[in-house]
Amino acid sequence: MTLETNIANSDVGDLTREQADAELARLAELLSKANTDYHTHDAPKLSDAEYDSLKRRNSAIENRFPDLKREDSASEQVGAAVASGFGKIRHDVRMLSLGNAFSEEDVAEFDTSVRKYLGLAADAPLTYTAEPKIDGLSLSLRYEKGILVQAATRGDGTVGENVTANARTVGDIPHKLTDAPDLLEVRGEVYMSHADFDAINTRQEERGGKTFANPRNAAAGSLRQLDAEVTRARPLRFFAYAWGSLSAPLGKTQSASIATLADLGFSINPLTVTCEGPAELVSHYDKIAELRPDLGYDIDGVVYKIDDLELQSRLGFRSTTPRWAIAHKFPAELAWTRLDGIDIQVGRTGALSPVARLSPVTVGGVVVSNATLHNEDYIKGLDSKGQEIRGGKDIRVGDLVQVYRAGDVIPKVADVDISKRSPDAPEFVFPNKCPECGSDAIREPGDAVRRCSGGIICPAQAVEKLKHFVSRAAFDIDGMGAKQVEQFYTDGWIAEPADIFTLQTRYGNGIQQLKNREGWGEKSANALFAAIEDKRKIPLARLIFGLGIRHVGEASANMIALHYGTWKALAQAMEDARSQEGPAWDDLLAIDGMGAVMAGSLVSAFAQKAECASIMRLVAELDVQEAVRADTSGSPVAGKTVVFTGTLEKMTRAEAKARAERLGAKVSGSVSAKTNLLIAGPGAGSKAKKAADLGIEMLDEDGWLALIEGI
Ligand code: IVH
């Protein structure tokens, strides 16, 4: 018997706290090594039985001492993350992306919207910073008492990968800081220079290895190496441009904070300046665009940020982007190639999307062989309003087409050269039957998209819905990706989301059956069922997003969840709002970002018999968690419904609403018996009267600010 199984067999009940803590650390290490040996190196050193008994012991100790459970515990790590060999790290402060501007008008609009939000006049001074947008991958470095203790990739913004060992090999990343705040999270971009990229690709070619498509892929591939020694051999660099958690501020402004980071020893981009308004921003953009070919590394735009950190914090965030910054992107890159074919893909909501199959061509350093053609009108040379685009030229198979890509977006077909078209090339006929299930593909008046009418009988829709359901932002079921969904669907194991949760019971000894299938073993089968069990308990927002209802994205799902709080309340509201009128409907429309189209789509999903039944079967399998607002502890308005009326003098309506929502309040547009608080500015009229009649607490703006001060 091995040492590992010896440990596993002794009694958990005898352990002291200290022993348990030490053993959990050892088990985390052993199991993580076993996982890497198994998943990554395909070279397991433990038998299945040994592995299982270690894992059971780990869980037994965790059950006895739940507060000792480690972040890197094996019970937290199933499937993908472990398969890729990196532990997960939850970011204290989310790592966000940036909104984009593509023109000078967009930049002016950004400036206007910031001023409007802050209530600043068009000519009031407002300072920005402008700096290159580095085309690499973002990294968050955590320093505790000046020591680099952790490095994490962005991941999905909330949870990233632990790449600490690899980050330590990057020359620009200091291991130790002097005079730094006790806690300092520095954020920036890891990138590779053109010269290093060329050298690596030459070396790879000589060895017959795979080459990288561009420096960003090379940087990402190098940072995400399981063996840190491989990373060390790849010359990566790092520019710091932001921060996460801090125990003390770095400065009062963005520019001063960045200067502090430079003093601490970080590399700061030398083209970072402050500007006084859109005209100066654009002129710095032009300067950077001119310098771009000679910088020696890839950049894809210029980032503008409000300099004053107090204004930044007033502006806050939308769901995934800050209101106080924007990326002004460089124009897209173009190339001409042959259109070899047009395929029709059927999406989750039944939309038929034409995809261009192209003779491969390099666009901005990336080989492109597929591009979107949007919809049938686009192929005909018409926009969504029926107006001509491209001078009305249609697109036919065999044509020479212009492809462009901007950043990470899917490449698009922009133009066509009809002078090279063969005279007998037939016009493209868009199908009016679903290519997957043969149902009629219908185009509703006013809709640019033709949709398969097959609903859940259409295998393409069902599979896409399932893929969406298990995806990261939805149920995030480890070990169940697109490939597995297709496999299970094809074999009739799952047809709808609820089936995932009954998989194990329906197949009695599910593990036995699963492990005999190609690509599965006992461990992966166990891990899958454990991952599924793990997701029975699901936050309301993830459930709503996971349902894959048309128009309901991740951000909207969050807002809906926060608005209704519980599944029960949501389901009841959907029933009450069915007629698309009345108080429940109005209440739905009052959700921030909710329009009639999304609301209609949401309500109809619940009104449709088959779809609703499928949702109910799913929910019966789940333990749906109430939606709770972040950071509202101690907030006097958490869970309260507040209404603003009259003129606000210290902030704009949008700012007041966003701030109240951040504090956990629900902001409503109308006064009802459910209203807890009315904030009335000068000129308040009928709402104030109604609130007084209903005996609702009322405050003026100063009273409101005093109430929420310091939170
Ligand atoms: S600021 C809250 N500054 O661009 C936003 N981002 O498209 C903090 N990036 O995820 C980001 N250069 O990876 C900022 N000078 C720069 C940047 C930059 C590159 C990346 C970053 C971010 C992405 C957003």
Side-chain angles (χ1 to χ4, degrees):
M1 194 182 272
T2 62
L3 169 69
E4 282 77 17
T5 36
N6 260 336
I7 298 177
N9 288 340
S10 58
D11 192 351
V12 173
D14 298 339
L15 288 179
T16 65
R17 222 181 132 70
E18 282 72 16
Q19 285 170 331
D21 200 7
E23 211 190 319
L24 285 178
R26 185 165 151 62
L27 283 167
E29 199 178 309
L30 276 173
L31 285 162
S32 141
K33 190 165 171 314
N35 277 329
T36 317
D37 288 341
Y38 181 89
H39 290 291
T40 315
H41 304 316
D42 286 327
K45 300 208 174 63
L46 298 182
S47 71
D48 280 1
E50 283 168 327
Y51 177 91
D52 287 342
S53 91
L54 286 181
K55 212 159 167 185
R56 271 199 304 277
R57 177 153 181 92
N58 191 54
S59 307
I61 302 177
E62 282 173 351
N63 287 341
R64 190 154 169 251
F65 299 98
D67 58 323
L68 293 183
K69 185 165 173 177
R70 299 165 57 90
E71 280 225 334
D72 60 351
S73 160
S75 54
E76 295 287 284
Q77 295 177 15
V78 270
V82 173
S84 74
F86 294 106
K88 289 181 180 178
I89 289 181
R90 181 166 285 276
H91 301 299
D92 278 355
V93 177
R94 284 225 302 151
M95 290 183 80
L96 297 160
S97 52
L98 293 167
N100 289 327
F102 295 101
S103 63
E104 282 184 33
E105 290 75 55
D106 290 352
V107 177
E109 210 170 277
F110 168 63
D111 178 69
T112 312
S113 73
V114 165
R115 286 172 187 276
K116 194 165 159 217
Y117 192 93
L118 295 171
L120 286 180
D123 55 356
L126 185 59
T127 309
Y128 291 90
T129 59
E131 68 203 68
K133 182 168 188 297
I134 317 297
D135 197 6
L137 69 152
S138 46
L139 188 68
S140 186
L141 304 169
R142 188 177 171 99
Y143 292 86
E144 287 173 8
K145 300 212 179 328
I147 308 293
L148 174 63
V149 293
Q150 200 171 69
T153 61
R154 179 173 126 172
D156 63 0
T158 307
V159 177
E161 285 175 323
N162 184 344
V163 291
T164 313
N166 304 23
R168 288 204 176 104
T169 70
V170 177
D172 287 340
I173 296 180
H175 291 197
K176 221 174 145 183
L177 308 174
T178 15
D179 295 333
D182 278 356
L183 172 61
L184 168 63
E185 272 181 15
V186 176
R187 291 179 174 176
E189 203 84 351
V190 172
Y191 67 101
M192 191 181 277
S193 75
H194 291 157
D196 290 332
F197 168 70
D198 289 341
I200 282 181
N201 265 0
T202 312
R203 204 166 70 205
Q204 293 286 100
E205 253 166 37
E206 283 166 4
R207 289 187 190 161
K210 255 176 83 178
T211 54
F212 293 105
N214 55 43
R216 178 163 47 88
N217 286 3
S222 303
L223 188 69
R224 298 182 67 262
Q225 280 292 329
L226 289 164
D227 182 351
E229 288 315 304
V230 177
T231 311
R232 195 185 297 283
R234 305 264 176 88
L236 294 174
R237 295 160 191 236
F238 180 79
F239 276 130
Y241 52 64
W243 53 90
S245 290
L246 294 175
S247 57
L250 297 169
K252 282 190 164 41
T253 59
Q254 176 77 30
S255 47
S257 306
I258 294 298
T260 306
L261 291 180
D263 289 343
L264 287 169
F266 289 94
S267 280
I268 301 305
N269 193 286
L271 293 169
T272 307
V273 298
T274 54
C275 297
E276 293 308 323
E280 277 189 29
L281 290 174
V282 170
S283 99
H284 192 57
Y285 170 91
D286 290 340
K287 179 176 162 195
I288 292 179
E290 216 169 283
L291 294 171
R292 186 182 184 195
D294 305 313
L295 288 178
Y297 51 88
D298 277 354
I299 62 173
D300 57 347
V302 179
V303 182
Y304 307 143
K305 300 171 185 169
I306 296 288
D307 197 32
D308 184 331
L309 297 186
E310 210 177 294
L311 296 184
Q312 278 193 10
S313 95
R314 274 179 64 193
L315 284 157
F317 301 88
R318 295 178 211 93
S319 58
T320 58
T321 57
R323 287 195 190 86
W324 45 265
I326 198 160
H328 188 177
K329 302 295 280 287
F330 292 130
E333 313 208 37
L334 302 165
W336 287 90
T337 189
R338 187 74 54 198
L339 176 64
D340 293 333
I342 298 178
D343 286 351
I344 304 291
Q345 282 180 352
V346 183
R348 167 166 62 83
T349 57
L352 267 50
S353 309
V355 178
R357 302 294 175 209
L358 305 164
S359 293
V361 63
T362 306
V363 192
V366 173
V367 179
V368 171
S369 44
N370 302 313
T372 176
L373 282 162
H374 304 285
N375 54 51
E376 66 182 295
D377 282 352
Y378 190 80
I379 299 176
K380 283 192 188 142
L382 300 173
D383 71 7
S384 57
K385 297 190 186 79
Q387 306 286 320
E388 283 190 352
I389 47 170
R390 300 187 299 269
K393 292 175 288 185
D394 71 335
I395 294 173
R396 303 182 187 186
V397 173
D399 276 348
L400 199 60
V401 291
Q402 189 190 48
V403 183
Y404 81 95
R405 56 180 284 276
D408 271 342
V409 298
I410 307 165
K412 299 181 174 130
V413 169
D415 205 355
V416 54
D417 182 354
I418 49 172
S419 70
K420 304 261 170 27
R421 178 180 287 169
S422 108
D424 49 8
E427 233 178 86
F428 180 73
V429 183
F430 204 89
N432 55 14
K433 296 266 186 239
C434 171
E436 298 287 340
C437 70
S439 304
D440 287 341
I442 295 162
R443 193 168 161 193
E444 301 283 350
D447 194 351
V449 174
R450 191 171 283 278
R451 284 172 206 281
C452 161
S453 59
I456 40 184
I457 71 138
C458 174
Q461 285 189 54
V463 166
E464 291 307 315
K465 255 189 182 297
L466 283 162
K467 282 187 197 164
H468 170 83
F469 182 81
V470 300
S471 68
R472 246 205 198 174
F475 273 61
D476 190 16
I477 298 182
D478 274 330
M480 185 102 143
K483 204 177 102 205
Q484 290 78 13
V485 163
E486 271 167 20
Q487 190 186 30
F488 290 151
Y489 183 86
T490 311
D491 295 350
W493 282 34
I494 56 172
E496 60 171 25
D499 297 342
I500 294 174
F501 292 95
T502 57
L503 199 56
Q504 195 171 4
T505 40
R506 276 186 297 123
Y507 284 82
N509 54 354
I511 291 166
Q512 286 307 322
Q513 291 200 32
L514 184 55
K515 79 172 194 190
N516 294 330
R517 298 174 65 126
E518 207 187 317
W520 293 91
E522 178 144 1
K523 230 175 283 172
S524 50
N526 269 318
L528 175 66
F529 288 126
I532 292 172
E533 279 314 304
D534 198 42
K535 295 299 158 77
R536 277 194 200 274
K537 203 167 171 181
I538 196 82
L540 179 59
R542 280 187 182 259
L543 167 62
I544 298 170
F545 179 64
L547 296 177
I549 296 168
R550 202 170 143 206
H551 303 298
V552 181
E554 199 183 344
S556 313
N558 264 319
M559 302 298 286
I560 296 165
L562 286 175
H563 186 77
Y564 292 109
T566 62
W567 169 258
K568 208 170 145 214
L570 169 67
Q572 184 63 52
M574 291 301 106
E575 203 179 311
D576 296 346
R578 206 167 163 158
S579 60
Q580 308 207 356
E581 56 186 21
W585 175 252
D586 293 342
D587 183 55
L588 173 61
L589 286 176
I591 298 175
D592 193 19
M594 176 73 59
V597 173
M598 195 198 307
S601 170
L602 195 61
V603 169
S604 356
F606 281 80
Q608 257 179 24
K609 235 170 146 192
E611 190 160 353
C612 184
S614 163
I615 295 174
M616 294 309 165
R617 280 192 293 274
L618 169 67
V619 172
E621 296 294 330
L622 303 174
D623 170 10
V624 184
Q625 304 293 294
E626 200 170 318
V628 274
R629 287 165 198 277
D631 292 325
T632 56
S633 50
S635 162
V637 294
K640 301 242 166 94
T641 302
V642 303
V643 176
F644 291 94
T645 186
T647 314
L648 299 178
E649 291 167 325
K650 307 239 163 72
M651 56 187 138
T652 62
R653 196 54 86 74
E655 187 181 357
K657 182 163 189 260
R659 178 126 183 239
E661 283 175 348
R662 260 202 318 271
L663 292 171
K666 181 175 145 190
V667 179
S668 168
S670 58
V671 174
S672 75
K674 287 196 193 135
T675 309
N676 300 104
L677 185 60
L678 183 84
I679 296 101
S686 62
K687 286 183 196 168
K689 189 173 172 302
K690 186 164 176 196
D693 290 347
L694 290 167
I696 290 162
E697 186 184 350
M698 274 198 267
L699 287 176
D700 62 9
E701 190 177 2
D702 285 336
W704 163 251
L705 288 173
L707 176 70
I708 61 173
E709 193 182 60
I711 310 160

